[in-house]
Amino acid sequence: MPQSNRPSSQPSPRQIDRLLDVMKRLRDPQGGCPWDVEQTPATIAPFAIEEAYEVMDAIARDDREAIPDELGDLLLQVVFQAQMAQEAGHFDFETVAGLIADKLVRRHPHVFGDAALDDDSWEREKDAERQRKAEYGALAGVALPLPALMRAAKLSRRAARVGFDWDAPTSILDKVHEEIDELKAELGGDRDRIEDELGDVLFTVASLARKLDIDPEAALRRSNAKFTRRFEAMEEMLARKGQTMAEQDLPTMEALWQEAKTLPGMK
């Protein structure tokens, strides 16, 4: 009997199920991809951070085509880790999905229960979870691998929750100036002391950002993008003259920088 060319009446699998099957096949020691097979949780872990930042970049650029693609790359990291854990007999993707679903329900009793909306309920539930995990202290659970600036903001936020905080942003700004003076006093001296004082400046700036309710990572990314735009504008101005940045002295580059700042889109 000849086969029909009509589409199958069977429903296509959910894409998450298809993704899990693809990952399982890639990890198959007999017919999978050698690179995927040789990976371990430790070798794959750094990619999760990289993919998360690429998601953030796509969102910041409001790139509607890139966002789902980058989210897929980030989801792959979860699926990859879950597949390796399942092979080792630890847990699987269903465990991961179930745990986060349970956590969301616990942290939203005003949605899934009878509790009234409470701005502090999320943090109280997180505190309770840390207690269950035997993570004690106001700073418990702030992950060490976080980018240092982000971790500084989280540490200062945790400390502020128990009252260890400045009374106003201006007080922190005074502290920033104090730390800068201490850094100046160390310049030309011991390198470890300089690094220590510079770290104090950065930590205090992160605390200022937290007090102003500004994400320091987002603020720095914004400044990075602004610097890139202006610097590339300088290079373009010189290129039109057949020149390069390396051929210029510092006063000329400073003049170009000031000119670049006045161009449209350079604010």
Side-chain angles (χ1 to χ4, degrees), residues 3 10 29 31 33 65 74 81 93 121 153 167 169 175 199 206 223 233 241-242 244 266:
Q3 293 184 345
Q10 295 295 323
C33 169
E65 293 186 2
L74 183 57
Q81 290 286 353
F93 182 82
S121 62
D167 57 358
K175 183 64 175 178
S223 290
K241 301 176 183 178
T244 66
M266 294 298 163

Side-chain angles (χ1 to χ4, degrees), residues 167-180:
D167 57 358
T170 52
S171 299
I172 309 181
L173 194 57
D174 291 339
K175 183 64 175 178
V176 171
H177 290 303
E178 177 186 325
E179 298 293 355
I180 290 175

